[in-house]
Amino acid sequence: VNDDLYDWFAREGVRIVWNGGNWIDGEARFNRFDLIERAHGMQAQLDYCVERYPQRKGIETRFIAGDDHEGWYAQREGVDIGRSLESVARRAGRRDLRYLGYMESFITLQHKGSGETSKLLVMHPGGGSAYATSYAPQKIMEAMQSGEKPGVVVIGHFHKMEYANIRGVHAIQAGCTKDLDTFGRKKRLSYHVGGLIVDLWQDP
């Protein structure tokens, strides 16, 4: 799915892909035996990610680290896991993977003509899926203080794909590229597998 998405992005002229986190499985006591043999250990998972994560000419992937999966290494070992991935990628000659931060990153969107700015927030919020697809984005936007809301938010983590306008914020759940697994079936979750291309027009 990831490779097909990047082929589509390349055909459509996309230059930036925003990745909302969970680009490796990480390791916990409950998923250890789900991992492929060559991806045991943090370094092995980072190497595997750099080797297999799609790379297309002219496309830069800007990513955050979630506090689960790759974030388990950050919590247990105290490593900056996103910076570690970027470093492994650089050593392998890849300049297309750019780390933005842990759990969230605000990006300035500047209008070319007027210079006016807005904000894009890429986030991996954590917490479980809710009974309604739109519930988590609604609660996230409700919790934001006045004056800190972005114009657009791209939300990872929930394995859902959705667009909604909440409190004046264009909220996009980015979907996922992971098939339904035993954890998802146990929790009776629905995974929305795929990705999105978003065109934004900024008010001058």
Side-chain angles (χ1 to χ4, degrees), residues 11 22 28 36 41-42 50 53 58 64 71 83 90 92 98 106 109 111 114 118 129 139-140 142 155 164 174 190 194:
R11 285 195 305 270
N22 290 166
I36 63 170
M42 185 182 79
V50 168
Y53 194 91
I64 58 171
R83 199 164 303 286
R90 295 292 183 271
R98 181 176 158 201
F106 282 89
L109 305 174
H111 191 276
S114 68
S118 185
S129 268
K139 299 309 286 183
I140 289 166
E142 286 172 13
I155 304 170
S190 170

Side-chain angles (χ1 to χ4, degrees), residues 90-108:
R90 295 292 183 271
R91 286 199 301 273
R94 292 193 61 169
R95 299 273 170 194
D96 60 307
L97 297 173
R98 181 176 158 201
Y99 178 50
L100 297 173
Y102 190 72
M103 287 183 59
E104 65 179 23
S105 180
F106 282 89
I107 293 97
T108 299

Side-chain angles (χ1 to χ4, degrees), residues 7-160:
D7 287 342
W8 178 43
F9 297 156
R11 285 195 305 270
E12 295 296 324
V14 169
R15 291 179 297 167
I16 298 172
V17 174
W18 305 98
N19 184 310
N22 290 166
W23 19 266
I24 57 175
D25 257 339
E27 286 176 279
R29 58 170 181 76
F30 53 82
N31 81 333
R32 189 171 301 142
F33 301 110
D34 294 334
L35 301 173
I36 63 170
E37 187 176 334
R38 58 177 292 203
H40 283 268
M42 185 182 79
Q43 188 61 50
Q45 288 207 18
L46 294 174
D47 289 340
Y48 188 75
C49 181
V50 168
E51 176 191 323
R52 297 294 299 272
Y53 194 91
Q55 182 178 19
R56 301 292 184 272
K57 186 176 181 182
I59 296 179
E60 181 179 78
T61 299
R62 300 180 186 178
F63 65 94
I64 58 171
D67 72 332
D68 53 1
H69 296 281
E70 65 267 12
W72 294 330
Y73 292 120
Q75 293 166 23
R76 283 194 313 261
E77 282 74 61
V79 297
D80 189 338
I81 189 67
R83 199 164 303 286
S84 297
L85 176 64
E86 192 177 60
S87 178
V88 171
R90 295 292 183 271
R91 286 199 301 273
R94 292 193 61 169
R95 299 273 170 194
D96 60 307
L97 297 173
R98 181 176 158 201
Y99 178 50
L100 297 173
Y102 190 72
M103 287 183 59
E104 65 179 23
S105 180
F106 282 89
I107 293 97
T108 299
L109 305 174
Q110 186 167 36
H111 191 276
K112 267 175 122 174
S114 68
E116 292 295 323
T117 61
S118 185
K119 293 286 184 185
L120 164 71
L121 171 60
V122 183
M123 68 182 315
H124 193 99
S129 268
Y131 65 92
T133 300
S134 63
Y135 183 77
Q138 287 173 18
K139 299 309 286 183
I140 289 166
M141 290 303 107
E142 286 172 13
M144 286 203 164
Q145 291 175 267
S146 180
E148 74 168 4
K149 289 187 303 171
V152 185
V153 60
V154 175
I155 304 170
H157 180 69
F158 297 110
H159 296 213
K160 297 292 187 280

